Structure formats: structure tokens, C-alpha cells
């Protein structure tokens, strides 16, 4: 063998490796990929219009008053909107891989920072599943008050886990039906304007008495904000599917910002409706006030059940993909175990661990206890995404 051939072999090998990598990137994937409406807009909208809207918005107005509620809603959505803009700015400039926000942060600031944020983000998404299950249980017990709450939670979890394990495509098909039920519930609430009497004295700024679970021992502005903020965290539902989108650069910005804008208007209108039609005492004590005050309660109940089920399903589908991305980058112990996929591309082992975490969280038995934890984890993630944009701009 000549000296020249020996020198050429490493270069040829490098070119072969580069060609193989390029083919892997451009090769058409075997699993189904989703568009803007099904992959980002619908799961984001359904996650934001979820359990907090149906079960805690009245409590928010009762504690903070109308002006306080509008301030909390505006502050929460301002944070979400800024983060949505930052996420959109980043996704239009870099190639987004699996893991959504984790992929964005790790590519910009390195795997160390990405991992430190990705793990809390994953835990927030997993804990959110249990929060949505609690909301589903509240609606279910309104229909069947004699059913055991724990059995309702476990039964709901089994149904969600089975759907997520079978196929993400099946989960997204179910969301279209749920979207129709939520629209019907909002129409029922809107129709009640013509049938409900208005309160004489609107509470403009509340006294923050707290919640029934704590015997109304008192709260403050930031405690109420912490309970409400998870309502505005649904923007990660679409971003988490980045590895399963046909065009993440287009779908994530368009779908996320459109969903944020529509949901903000809905929350503002609902807060005004609740403050104008319901006494403060009822807002504080009755978590099902929307069902009772709507023109046709069953439509709102169906919306509650559908929204909470859909939100739980979106989080249960999205959070294992964050864990899978952490495993692919060798950030976690036994990382190879988290990268195992089914024949349809579902992150099987990551889903199993997520299911175990959800079961443990269900034992807390209190939505108000889980919501502040989710708020803390999401605020860390949102702050880091905005820091990424500041660094990139500089």
C-alpha cells in the first residue's frame, strides 16, 4: 500500500461519516409528524384552558377582587407571552431537536445549563399531570358524588397512561373532540349573560382570605398568583413535541403565540363575568361555580372533564420526550435506558418513569399544594429561555 493511500484513508473515512450523518438528518422519518394546528396550537390551547380556568378562576376573583384578578392574569400572561416571543425567536434561528425548551437551552448555553433546567422542566410537566387529574376528579365527583376520590384518580391515570402508551397520534385525535366540548362550554357560559342576575356590589380589590382547605386563614397576592400561574404554562405542550413536528421553526412560533392570545382574551372575559354575576362568598367556597352559573351546566362540566383530561394527556405525552432527550445527551444516570423507543417511536421507558412520578404526586391529594411547585419549576425554565435570547442578541 502506498504512502499516499495511507494518508487519504482518514479523510475518506471522515467524508463517509459526514455523508452518513447528513443522510440521517435528511432521511424521511418512518413515524408520523404533526403540523402547526395538531402538534402545537391545539395541545397548547387545551392545556392553557384547563383545570385552573374551570376550578380556580372563581377562587382567584374571590380572593383578589376583579382588579386584582385582572392584574394577576395580565402578569401571568405577560410572562408567558414574553417567553413565547423568546421561544419563537430562538426556534426560527436554530435547528430544534427533541426535548423542546431543553433542546433550545442546551444548544445555546451548553448541556450543563440545559440539563439543570431540563430536569426541573420535566418534573413540572410530570407534576402537572397529577394536577389535571385532580381537576378531572372534581368534575367526575360532581356527577357521581358517591365515588371514592382515590379510585377516580387511579382510574383516570390508567386511562391516560394507556392512551399515551399506545400512540401519540391517538392522543392528538382525541384532542379534537375535546376542543369541541371546550368551545361548547364557553358558549354556555357566554349565554348565561342573558339569564343571570348581576351582583349589586362588585368587589374591585379583594382581602385575600385564602381557601377552604386552610379554613380561610389568609393568603396574599403572590400566593394566589402561584396557584394561578400554571394556567399560563401550556406553551411547553407544543414545544415539547419539537422532535415530532414537520416544521418546528414555523409551527412553534405560530401555534404558540396564537394560542396565548386567544387564551388571554378568554381568561379576561371569564374573570369579568364571574365578578359581575357571583357573590364573593360563593366564589371563595364553590370551586364548581362555573358549572352552577352557566346557562347549561352539563356543557361546562363536559368542558371541565375534557380540558383536564386533554391537559393531562398532553403533559403525559410531552414530558417523557424531555426525559428521553436528557438521556440521549447522556445527562442522566443509566441514560441509555431512557432512550428506548417502541416501534412507533414512543419513549417507552421514559413514559414508565413518568407514570411512577405521577402516581406519587397523586398521593398529595391537593391541587393547591401542587400548583406552586409547578409555578416555581416553570418560572426557572421561562427565565432561562429569556436569558438565552439576551445572550444570543448580544
Amino acid at each position: 500500500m502506498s504512502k499516499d493511500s495511507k494518508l487519504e484513508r482518514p479523510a475518506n473515512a471522515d467524508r463517509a461519516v459526514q455523508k452518513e450523518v447528513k443522510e440521517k438528518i435528511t432521511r424521511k422519518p418512518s413515524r408520523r409528524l404533526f403540523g402547526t394546528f395538531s402538534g402545537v396550537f391545539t395541545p397548547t390551547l387545551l392545556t392553557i384552558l384547563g383545570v385552573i380556568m374551570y376550578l380556580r378562576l372563581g377562587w382567584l376573583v374571590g380572593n383578589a377582587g376583579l382588579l386584582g384578578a385582572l392584574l394577576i392574569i395580565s402578569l401571568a400572561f405577560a410572562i408567558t407571552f414574553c417567553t413565547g416571543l423568546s421561544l419563537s425567536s430562538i426556534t426560527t434561528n436554530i435547528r430544534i431537536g427533541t426535548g423542546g425548551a431543553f433542546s433550545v437551552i442546551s444548544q445555546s448555553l451548553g448541556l450543563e445549563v440545559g440539563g439543570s433546567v431540563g430536569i426541573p422542566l420535566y418534573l413540572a410537566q410530570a407534576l402537572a399531570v397529577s394536577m389535571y387529574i385532580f381537576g378531572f376528579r372534581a368534575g367526575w365527583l360532581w356527577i357521581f358524588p358517591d365515588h371514592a376520590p382515590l379510585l377516580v384518580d387511579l382510574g383516570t391515570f390508567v386511562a391516560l397512561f394507556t392512551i399515551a402508551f399506545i400512540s401519540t397520534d391517538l392522543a392528538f385525535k382525541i384532542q379534537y373532540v375535546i376542543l369541541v366540548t371546550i368551545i361548547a362550554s364557553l358558549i354556555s357560559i357566554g349565554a348565561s349573560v342573558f339569564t343571570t342576575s348581576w351582583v349589586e356590589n362588585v368587589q374591585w380589590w379583594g382581602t385575600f382570605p385564602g381557601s377552604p382547605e386552610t379554613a380561610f386563614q389568609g393568603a396574599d397576592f403572590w400566593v394566589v398568583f402561584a396557584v394561578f400561574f400554571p394556567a399560563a404554562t401550556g406553551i411547553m405542550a407544543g414545544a415539547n413535541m419539537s422532535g415530532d413536528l414537520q416544521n418546528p421553526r414555523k409551527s412553534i412560533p405560530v401555534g404558540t403565540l396564537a394560542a396565548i392570545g386567544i387564551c388571554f382574551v378568554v381568561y379576561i372575559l371569564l374573570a369579568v363575568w364571574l365578578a359581575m354575576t357571583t357573590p364573593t362568598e360563593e366564589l371563595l367556597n364553590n370551586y364548581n361555580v362555573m358549572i352552577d352559573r352557566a346557562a347549561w351546566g352539563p356543557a361546562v362540566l363536559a368542558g371541565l372533564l375534557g380540558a383536564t383530561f386533554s391537559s393531562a394527556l398532553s403533559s403525559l405525552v410531552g414530558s417523557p420526550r424531555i426525559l428521553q432527550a436528557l438521556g440521549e445527551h447522556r445527562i442522566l444516570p443509566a441514560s441509555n435506558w431512557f432512550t428506548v423507543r417502541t416501534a412507533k417511536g414512543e419513549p417507552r421507558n421514559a413514559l414508565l418513569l413518568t407514570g411512577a412520578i405521577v402516581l406519587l404526586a397523586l398521593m398529595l391529594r391537593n391541587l393547591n399544594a401542587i400548583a406552586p411547585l409547578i409555578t416555581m419549576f416553570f418560572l426557572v425554565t421561562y427565565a432561562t429561555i429569556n436569558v438565552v435570547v439576551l445572550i444570543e442578541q448580544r
Side-chain angles (χ1 to χ4, degrees):
M1 184 178 291
S2 66
K3 182 178 180 181
D4 292 339
S5 63
K6 289 181 181 179
L7 293 174
E8 289 175 359
R9 281 169 56 186
N12 292 335
D14 289 343
R15 283 194 290 270
V17 172
Q18 292 174 3
K19 182 179 179 181
E20 183 180 355
V21 171
K22 185 176 180 181
E23 287 177 352
K24 286 182 179 179
I25 293 174
T26 58
R27 189 182 298 143
K28 192 173 182 179
S30 59
R31 67 182 188 278
R32 179 184 174 183
L33 299 179
F34 302 95
T36 302
F37 186 79
S38 62
V40 180
F41 177 79
T42 301
T44 301
L45 184 80
L46 296 184
T47 303
I48 296 177
L49 300 181
V51 57
I52 301 296
M53 183 185 79
Y54 284 105
L55 296 182
R56 290 299 183 271
L57 187 57
W59 175 83
L60 165 68
V61 176
N63 270 276
L66 179 56
L67 293 180
L70 295 180
L71 179 59
I72 288 174
I73 293 170
S74 299
L75 178 60
F77 273 89
I79 295 172
T80 299
F81 182 70
C82 290
T83 307
L85 288 176
S86 297
L87 194 63
S88 301
S89 174
I90 297 168
T91 55
T92 54
N93 287 287
I94 66 174
R95 185 182 183 89
I96 303 299
T98 304
F102 162 74
S103 176
V104 168
I105 295 169
S106 61
Q107 288 186 59
S108 301
L109 302 182
L111 288 176
E112 294 82 0
V113 178
S116 65
V117 176
I119 293 173
L121 174 60
Y122 164 72
L123 291 174
Q125 293 278 11
L127 290 174
V129 178
S130 58
M131 181 182 72
Y132 298 132
I133 291 176
F134 289 156
F136 184 89
R137 180 232 299 164
W140 186 272
L141 293 180
W142 197 87
I143 306 173
F144 305 104
D146 296 332
H147 287 187
L150 181 59
L151 292 180
V152 174
D153 290 345
L154 294 178
T156 306
F157 168 76
V158 170
L160 289 166
F161 188 85
T162 302
I163 294 172
F165 194 84
I166 292 174
S167 171
T168 301
D169 187 28
L170 175 61
F172 282 162
K173 288 179 179 177
I174 292 174
Q175 288 183 342
Y176 293 131
V177 178
I178 294 172
L179 179 61
V180 173
T181 63
I182 291 178
I183 293 174
S185 72
L186 295 176
I187 292 174
S188 176
I189 291 172
S192 69
V193 173
F194 305 102
T195 60
T196 304
S197 59
W198 299 74
V199 298
E200 295 181 1
N201 298 315
V202 177
Q203 179 182 236
W204 295 102
W205 189 266
T207 58
F208 298 95
S211 60
E213 291 86 352
T214 60
F216 296 103
Q217 295 178 2
D220 57 36
F221 181 90
W222 295 112
V223 169
V224 176
F225 172 83
V227 173
F228 173 79
F229 186 74
T233 59
I235 63 171
M236 294 301 167
N240 290 341
M241 300 300 298
S242 56
D244 295 85
L245 297 175
Q246 295 173 359
N247 188 354
R249 292 185 177 183
K250 175 185 176 182
S251 296
I252 292 177
V254 174
T256 299
L257 295 178
I260 291 173
I262 292 173
C263 292
F264 175 69
V265 173
V266 170
Y267 270 96
I268 291 294
L269 293 177
L270 288 177
V272 172
W273 169 71
L274 286 167
M276 295 292 184
T277 61
T278 310
T280 302
E281 192 70 21
E282 185 177 354
L283 291 173
L284 290 170
N285 288 279
N286 184 10
Y287 288 144
N288 295 319
V289 64
M290 282 193 180
I291 301 174
D292 297 335
R293 290 282 171 175
W296 191 48
V300 180
L301 179 62
L304 167 62
L305 294 174
T308 51
F309 192 88
S310 171
S311 299
L313 195 55
S314 295
S315 296
L316 192 58
V317 166
S319 53
R321 283 164 168 77
I322 302 175
L323 190 61
Q324 174 191 311
L326 291 168
E328 289 175 347
H329 288 85
R330 303 295 185 266
I331 291 175
L332 301 172
S335 291
N336 289 334
W337 189 82
F338 297 106
T339 62
V340 175
R341 293 174 178 265
T342 64
K344 295 183 178 180
E346 304 297 328
R348 184 186 61 189
N349 290 351
L351 180 60
L352 292 174
L353 179 60
T354 303
I357 293 175
V358 173
L359 281 175
L360 290 175
L362 288 176
M363 298 302 106
L364 292 177
R365 318 301 302 146
N366 186 356
L367 187 151
N368 285 7
I370 291 178
L373 293 175
I374 298 172
T375 295
M376 178 179 64
F377 289 143
F378 270 114
L379 285 176
V380 170
T381 304
Y382 285 10
T384 309
I385 291 175
N386 287 298
V387 168
V388 168
V389 173
L390 291 176
I391 294 175
E392 293 288 344
Q393 291 299 322
R394 289 178 63 86

